[in-house]
Each structure stands twice: as structure tokens, then as C-alpha cells.
Amino acid sequence: MGSTWGSAIKISIFGESHGAGIGIVIDGFPAGVTYDEAFVLREMERRAPGRNKQSTQRKEADTPLIQSGFLHGQTTGAPICAIIQNTNQRSGDYAALAAQPRPGHADYTGMVRYHGCNDLRGGGHFSGRLTAPLVFAGALCKLWLKTRGVTIGSHIQSIAQIQDMPFDDVDIPASQLDALREADYPVNNPRALDAMLAAIEEAREAQDSVGGVIECAAVGLPAGIGSPMMDTVESRLSSILFAVPAVKGVEFGAGFAFAALRGSHANDTLYQDGNTVKTETNNNGGVNGGITNGMPLILRVCIKPTPSISVTQQTLNLQTGKVEPLSIHGRHDPCIVTRAAPVIEAACAIALANLFREANGYA
């Protein structure tokens, strides 16, 4: 499986949703980074299931058991390995899926790709549970990037069609991103959150689900990181963001809104602020020609509605050859978006740590 990603810092994720455990190996991580356990565990908690009725009631501690790569509270430069135990599986809920692949899932494509040998329980290696080790790696990368003056954070831009207040694209204080990371639900407008939670509850009562958008930003990035034309900042970030299950779209800066603009409105005018070059607007999301320009890096990620829903659906029965009703059992999120922010941040942190190290000669 293609579960290895990266160059300067390389990650390899292993395990299945209902196996003994899941984990990650991180190779190339810088030596001498102090392990802030409280920070890492908080990041894991943000993603963890079972914290509220907007998430699956599968409860897992998600505590990373570090096997290697640390000594006296610091990274050694050797490969880091961490394992997260699975302790609350209900595999019997998935017994019928070999005959009836779930709509919107990787059950059918996984069967074809791996000749019926794939683990269907809880989605196996395709499960969103595999984002837990990604968050662990992202937390470590955030710690290292922080020493370089880079802060990453995000908020729930929308759930269903309810919109939060977007970031100010030219001025995002690191303190705002830090505050969002500490919030149970990272939003800029509390009134929007009330409406979002009501929409999720309405979907849950209807045995259905809703999707949304996460807006993520990185501030403190210097100009000059990234390379044209096949290895741009956007392509590198997108390649790991699309590894997150349920991500179906990524846009940078104004994104698809560029299609409705004239060049005179789309272009970001440059000016000098002391010794720093800035732009008056940030429609390009901090990137020009695939290279950072020193402005906040801003992107948005579309998260599709949870495909596992309790309402009866129609799907092909591979044994009978007929389309038949399917009732999905198990514990599932009526909305993944409320747990997605730390995952998207983690993916961005890993990609930016790679780009940063490459730009500085693997320093």
C-alpha cells in the first residue's frame, strides 16, 4: 500500500481500524527537539472519538506509545516509532460488507485492488482512524516549526451551508491560531457554532450526516520555500491532504473564486513594510509560482459527509448481482468536520516541515 510519504522527513503509517493497533514511523526528523508531552496529548485529544455526541461513540484513549527516537526528553535524530492501541472494536458490525460494499466507501475498490484480501472491519487501512498517527507526527512537526517561528492553526469554515467568519487573509495573529487550537470547537464566531451543532443534530436524528470545510493557515513562513513546477508548495500540501479520508477538495487563497475575478482584482499588489515585502491583499494564499511569498499561507479543505449512515441505502449485492437494501451498523460520526481540524493541521505541518528542511539544506 502507498502509506509512505515525504522526503526530508518521511512518514510511514501502519495498522487497521480493528487490528491490534495503528502506528507510524517517522524518519529524518531533526535531533534535539524537546518532547512537549502535554501539547502532543492535547493534539491527540482534539481528534479522538467519543468526546461528544457529534462524534462516534467508539471511545479510544489514543495515547501514543513511543518505541524509539527519544532520549532524555529530546529527539535523537533516529527513526521515531509510535504505536496507538485499538481497545474498543466491534468487528461483528462489519460481517456483511464482503457481499454488500457500502456506498461512498472504499469497500469495493479495496476488494478489487487487493483481490478480496483487504480488511473490511471499520474500513481497515482505509479508515479515518489512521489519522491518529498522522496527528502524532503533525504535533511533532508543529513543535519543530514553532522553534522556526511558524504557527499552524485552523477553524471550521462551514458545516452544511452554515459559514463561520473567515480568516483575515493578510493579518492572522499566531495568538488567534493558538486560541482556536485550545477550543473544543474551533470557530471564530460562536453564533455560527450554535447553528452548526443544530445542523449536525438534525442530521443525526435523521440517521444521516453532513460535511463541511476546514480553513487552515500557517503564519511566520519566510518567502522562498518551495520549487516550480512539479514540486510546488500547493502540490506538496495537496498530496498529503488528499491522503486524509473524506477530503474531496483543496483550494489555496481565493481558490475557485478566481474564476469570477478580473486580473486587476485578483492580483496582489506588493509593497515594502520596513525591510519586509508584503502584499496588500492575499488572494494567492501566500504562494506565487509554487513558492511562499511571506504572507500567511491559507488553504481550505472540503470534507465530505460521513458515508456510514444509519438510514437504509441501496447497494449492489455481489453475491446475488442485484441492488438490495443495506443497513449499516456500528458507531459513526454524523459529521467528521468537528474532529478534522487537527488532522488537516497535522498534514500541513508535516508537508511544511519537509519543505522548510529542504529549503534550508536539511538543517
Side-chain angles (χ1 to χ4, degrees), residues 28-344:
F29 193 83
V33 178
T34 299
Y35 184 61
D36 186 340
E37 183 180 36
F39 175 82
V40 172
L41 293 180
R42 171 58 182 159
E43 292 293 279
M44 301 300 294
E45 181 186 26
R46 292 173 65 203
R47 192 221 69 92
R51 295 175 57 215
N52 51 56
K53 67 179 182 180
Q54 286 81 42
S55 72
T56 170
Q57 293 309 295
R58 174 177 176 172
K59 295 183 184 295
E60 301 276 6
D62 280 1
T63 303
L65 305 175
I66 296 173
Q67 309 296 302
S68 64
F70 289 86
L71 182 66
H72 305 313
Q74 289 188 319
T75 55
T76 64
I80 297 168
C81 178
I83 296 173
I84 300 167
Q85 295 176 334
N86 290 332
T87 59
N88 192 11
Q89 309 99 309
R90 286 194 344 205
S91 300
D93 292 334
Y94 301 91
L97 298 184
Q100 283 189 287
R102 293 168 294 178
H105 275 275
D107 297 343
Y108 172 68
T109 54
M111 287 180 196
V112 175
R113 174 68 175 83
Y114 297 106
H115 315 292
C117 297
N118 57 306
D119 187 349
L120 291 169
R121 302 170 302 166
H125 193 67
F126 295 94
S127 171
R129 177 133 184 81
L130 275 295
T131 59
L134 189 73
V135 169
F136 171 75
L140 296 183
C141 289
K142 283 182 182 180
L143 288 172
W144 181 71
L145 287 168
K146 197 75 170 178
T147 68
R148 265 58 181 173
V150 179
T151 302
I152 298 170
S154 68
H155 72 112
I156 302 171
Q157 175 68 62
S158 69
I159 286 178
Q161 297 184 17
I162 301 156
Q163 299 287 325
D164 187 28
M165 183 187 310
F167 284 135
D168 180 338
D169 58 359
V170 297
D171 184 19
I172 306 174
S175 58
Q176 179 184 4
L177 300 181
D178 289 335
L180 286 166
R181 191 171 57 248
E182 292 300 321
D184 289 337
Y185 298 97
V187 294
N188 294 315
N189 181 1
R191 294 181 62 185
L193 174 61
D194 293 339
M196 289 175 181
L197 296 180
I200 296 172
E201 180 62 16
E202 182 180 352
R204 187 183 69 83
E205 291 179 350
Q207 299 183 319
D208 215 328
S209 62
V210 290
V213 173
I214 298 293
E215 184 176 47
C216 186
V219 298
L221 280 170
I225 292 176
S227 301
M229 57 188 265
M230 301 299 185
D231 204 14
T232 66
V233 170
E234 295 103 325
S235 62
R236 190 75 71 88
L237 281 159
S238 296
S239 69
I240 190 169
L241 286 166
F242 278 115
V244 177
V247 168
K248 298 301 288 184
V250 178
E251 67 174 7
F252 293 82
F256 280 90
F258 273 121
L261 298 177
R262 289 190 174 187
S264 55
H265 293 143
N267 293 339
D268 299 311
T269 301
L270 290 94
Y271 71 98
Q272 190 153 331
D273 182 8
N275 295 322
T276 305
V277 175
K278 295 183 178 180
T279 58
E280 291 184 357
T281 55
N282 192 19
N283 291 322
N284 287 279
V287 183
N288 293 113
I291 301 169
T292 58
N293 62 20
M295 295 296 288
L297 174 68
I298 299 176
L299 60 88
R300 282 169 295 279
V301 176
C302 172
I303 310 289
K304 73 176 184 178
T306 318
S308 289
I309 53 178
S310 298
V311 66
T312 300
Q313 303 175 81
Q314 300 292 315
T315 190
L316 177 66
N317 186 315
L318 297 175
Q319 294 179 350
T320 67
K322 298 179 180 179
V323 174
E324 299 175 359
L326 173 68
S327 295
I328 297 177
H329 304 287
R331 300 157 293 178
H332 308 287
D333 300 72
C335 181
I336 303 170
V337 184
T338 57
R339 296 169 56 205
V343 180
I344 300 306

